Amino acid sequence: MELAADALKRPNVPWLWRLVATGLSFALFGIGGLCLRILVFPLLALLPGDSITRRSRARQTVSRLFWLFVQFMYRSGVLTYEVEGAERLGRPGQLIIANHPSLIDVVVLIALIRDANCVVKQSLWDNPFTRGPIRAAQYISNNGSAEMLDEAAEALQQGQTLIIFPEGTRTTPGQPPQFHRGAAAIALRGARLVTPVVISVTPTTLTKAEPWYRIPSRRFHFHLRVGDDIDPQAFAALGAAPIASRRLNDHLHRHFIKELALDEPTDA
């Protein structure tokens, strides 16, 4: 009995390999960010083109490298993934609203869209490993200011695709997502269409306040599902801006709660 219990507690070879591969993934991400900042983007800045061309070039570079990063995690056995409806991402003036269960949600979304803008945490602007790509791609800092809302709405009005996580941080495991109304306000001010993207990670990993080395007992599955488009003007017609924002936010929240319930594992 004691030998059997020891065998259950002892990490097996696949788990150890995934731990190593996860560590390599984090190292690759950090080193890659520094290389982009120190070498790649300074060289790209020497190429001809106006500011919009340089911004698009930087975003496409980040997108392509993020895609290669996801493939590394997949081929090294860290994760499996499934994407439904990716062909409907990346349209002009599209606001993509997603829940935020794990650390790599933004990586996968940007990997799928070649020229996307994104609202990112202010802390990433100051991080030496991420600030190079973020500043070159001219992503928007989520610093909580009114200027952030103006900048996001203006980006949509210019025809950019914008990704935003209305929770503002990763979802607490076992808790439903809680949306701030800022995303709905941005949608009403600038978006041509709003597209919800439901993300589930099974088993949960890379969650809020969870260290990278606390990996699950098996490969995690990343599932991304693109929902039906929402016309923000249908909500703008319901009343004044605060009322319309609240109703759109409530509609989005109900949608995500319903869709996430479909991804919950059921007992056999």
Side-chain angles (χ1 to χ4, degrees):
M1 292 293 291
E2 291 181 359
L3 289 176
D6 289 342
L8 289 174
K9 294 179 182 178
R10 188 181 304 122
N12 54 35
V13 172
W15 184 91
L16 288 172
W17 166 247
R18 285 188 295 104
L19 179 63
V20 171
T22 302
L24 287 174
S25 298
F26 272 82
L28 180 63
F29 191 90
I31 294 170
L34 283 177
C35 289
L36 285 172
R37 175 187 168 193
I38 296 171
L39 181 62
V40 175
F41 287 131
L43 291 175
L44 289 178
L46 299 177
L47 297 177
D50 58 17
S51 60
I52 295 177
T53 300
R54 290 194 295 270
R55 182 189 70 194
S56 178
R57 190 182 292 140
R59 289 179 181 176
Q60 291 183 45
T61 300
V62 172
S63 175
R64 184 58 183 170
L65 291 176
F66 275 6
W67 176 251
L68 293 175
F69 178 75
V70 172
Q71 293 307 303
F72 174 82
M73 296 185 76
Y74 169 68
R75 295 183 182 279
S76 63
V78 173
L79 59 78
T80 58
Y81 66 89
E82 178 183 5
V83 178
E84 300 179 40
E87 69 280 357
R88 293 192 291 110
L89 299 176
R91 287 171 284 170
Q94 180 184 41
L95 177 61
I96 297 170
I97 291 182
N99 61 311
H100 199 3
S102 80
L103 191 61
I104 65 167
D105 305 328
V106 66
V107 173
V108 177
L109 271 173
I110 291 178
L112 293 170
I113 309 169
R114 285 291 174 259
D115 189 6
N117 199 343
C118 185
V119 176
V120 299
K121 292 192 299 183
Q122 175 63 34
S123 60
L124 296 178
W125 278 77
D126 303 322
N127 187 310
F129 297 104
T130 57
R131 69 187 185 195
I134 284 174
R135 295 183 182 188
Q138 298 180 28
Y139 295 147
I140 299 171
S141 170
N142 186 11
N143 55 19
S145 67
E147 288 76 14
M148 183 275 288
L149 299 178
D150 294 337
E151 188 177 355
E154 184 179 358
L156 289 164
Q157 292 165 3
Q158 293 171 353
Q160 298 181 45
T161 300
L162 179 64
I163 301 168
I164 191 167
F165 297 91
E167 295 171 87
T169 187
R170 279 170 279 170
T171 313
T172 301
Q175 300 294 321
Q178 299 295 325
F179 288 177
H180 301 291
R181 257 192 279 172
I186 291 168
L188 293 168
R189 292 173 59 181
R192 301 179 192 177
L193 68 157
V194 176
T195 306
V197 174
V198 178
I199 299 171
S200 62
V201 176
T202 311
T204 59
T205 187
L206 301 177
T207 58
K208 187 177 181 180
E210 184 177 34
W212 68 265
Y213 52 81
R214 190 172 295 166
I215 65 172
S217 59
R218 57 184 172 87
R219 287 187 298 177
F220 69 90
H221 184 68
F222 188 98
H223 185 196
L224 184 150
R225 183 167 63 252
V226 180
D228 295 332
D229 296 332
I230 299 169
D231 180 6
Q233 294 309 308
F235 290 86
L238 296 177
I243 296 173
S245 176
R246 183 173 65 251
R247 292 185 177 179
L248 176 54
N249 189 67
D250 290 344
H251 175 81
L252 288 165
H253 190 254
R254 288 193 299 270
H255 171 81
F256 277 87
I257 294 296
K258 178 182 176 181
E259 292 296 314
L260 287 169
L262 299 176
D263 292 330
E264 291 180 357
T266 56
D267 295 332

